[in-house]
Amino acid sequence: MKVTISINLGGYAFNIDDDAYEYLQGYLKSLESEFEGEESASEIISDIEGRLAELFRQKLSSYKQVITMADVKDTVSVLGTPEAISGNEKGEKIPHSSRRIYRDPDSRLLGGVCAGLAAWFNMNMWIMRFIFILLACGGGFGVLIYAVLWILLPEAKTTAQKIEMRGEPVTIENIKESVKSEFNKVKHTMNL
Amino acid sequence: MNTDNTQAQMRKGILEYCILAVLSRNSCYAIDIINELKKAQVIVVEGTLYPLLTRQKNAGLLSYRWEESPQGPPRKYYELTEEGKKYLVELDSAWEELVTSVNQIRGR
């Protein structure tokens, strides 16, 4: 037995297995990050979603009513990887997929500034917090810096941004892993 | 040198030309263009087409209208604009020149 999720893709409603849903979401996320900054990114992606929906429809019949992982993988192989679609193969990575500083909302105490900086410098976030506390005690300067960074640094909201924050390349595999671990975290908290 | 890569680059170079050429015969849905290009083995994965169509639309070479479809939501029906037709004529002669040049070099 499996849990299914119901989605609206390109104007069609589908029931999709939860693992297949995660995979699909990872694919669409990396498409989004591939076309980020392009003038008509949302139009391109909605065209592709429309085509995904048509291909999904061909996978269904009155005997088979749910989109499975195999269906999604098959459809994605027909449409191509985000890199192939944007013509950015050969690993000429666009600059925005490189590493960036974000505030980390998942491990925050206050605004996630220290956690985000620690991810950037690849160090333990408690050491970063300790440095800030020291700075704050010595003349209150740390408080000011913290406040300014809180305002200036964007929060890592999407999965792609969280991966950028950790300095891993934004690929489908990484996004999938990330989404999965977040999903498990939520599951874990709900069981408590 | 990797021949696959060279071939991919060649295909990529003529893909935009091929899209306009398909549309010059008759207006159609994106899926019809995909089928034509797949049959001619110009594209490998379908997704490649969509960003190109949007860019050509933004450049004013083609336009689309929404057409009702018998099952499901309306779909985009693409056609060449006047500008696109002129552009295609230029590309046609550029292609002829290329073929002549390459044949000339190969024929030696």
Side-chain angles (χ1 to χ4, degrees), chain B residues 9 11 16 26 28 34 38 42 47 83 88 98 100 108:
Chain B
Q9 291 294 332
R11 279 202 213 100
E16 295 196 30
N26 39 20
C28 54
I34 288 174
K38 268 193 171 168
V42 190
E83 202 184 331
L88 182 63
L98 256 179
T100 320
R108 288 176 72 99

Side-chain angles (χ1 to χ4, degrees), chain A residues 12-159:
Chain A
Y12 290 102
F14 293 99
N15 285 319
I16 179 169
D17 281 338
D18 61 344
D19 55 345
Y21 167 77
E22 278 174 40
Y23 189 85
L24 178 66
Q25 206 184 24
Y27 178 69
L28 291 173
K29 281 264 167 62
S30 45
L31 265 180
E32 262 170 44
S33 76
E34 192 67 39
F35 286 105
E36 194 184 295
E38 166 122 11
E39 187 189 353
S40 311
S42 60
E43 188 176 354
I44 296 172
I45 288 166
S46 80
D47 282 351
I48 293 174
E49 283 185 357
R51 181 63 187 144
L52 270 171
E54 281 174 9
L55 291 169
F56 280 173
R57 299 243 317 161
Q58 293 168 11
K59 302 267 179 205
L60 299 176
S61 65
S62 48
Y63 304 107
K64 181 176 176 303
Q65 308 198 335
V66 176
I67 297 292
T68 62
M69 188 63 139
D71 295 334
V72 176
K73 283 196 168 156
D74 192 49
T75 307
V76 163
S77 75
V78 171
L79 277 169
T81 61
E83 295 79 29
I85 292 177
S86 74
N88 244 321
E89 274 159 302
K90 301 185 302 168
E92 336 159 352
K93 265 288 146 201
I94 3 181
H96 70 72
S97 59
S98 60
R99 199 163 181 184
R100 291 176 65 177
I101 310 187
Y102 287 102
R103 286 185 291 117
D104 184 354
D106 298 329
S107 5
R108 74 195 174 108
L109 282 187
L110 264 176
V113 172
C114 287
L117 283 178
W120 169 260
F121 289 113
N122 244 339
M123 59 197 276
N124 186 301
M125 57 182 124
W126 284 103
I127 299 180
M128 186 55 84
R129 285 176 185 146
F130 186 67
I131 296 175
F132 266 84
I133 292 170
L134 276 188
L135 282 172
C137 294
F141 202 58
V143 180
L144 185 70
I145 300 180
Y146 194 94
V148 170
L149 286 175
W150 193 341
I151 295 166
L152 289 183
L153 292 181
E155 189 182 50
K157 285 195 189 108
T158 66
T159 309

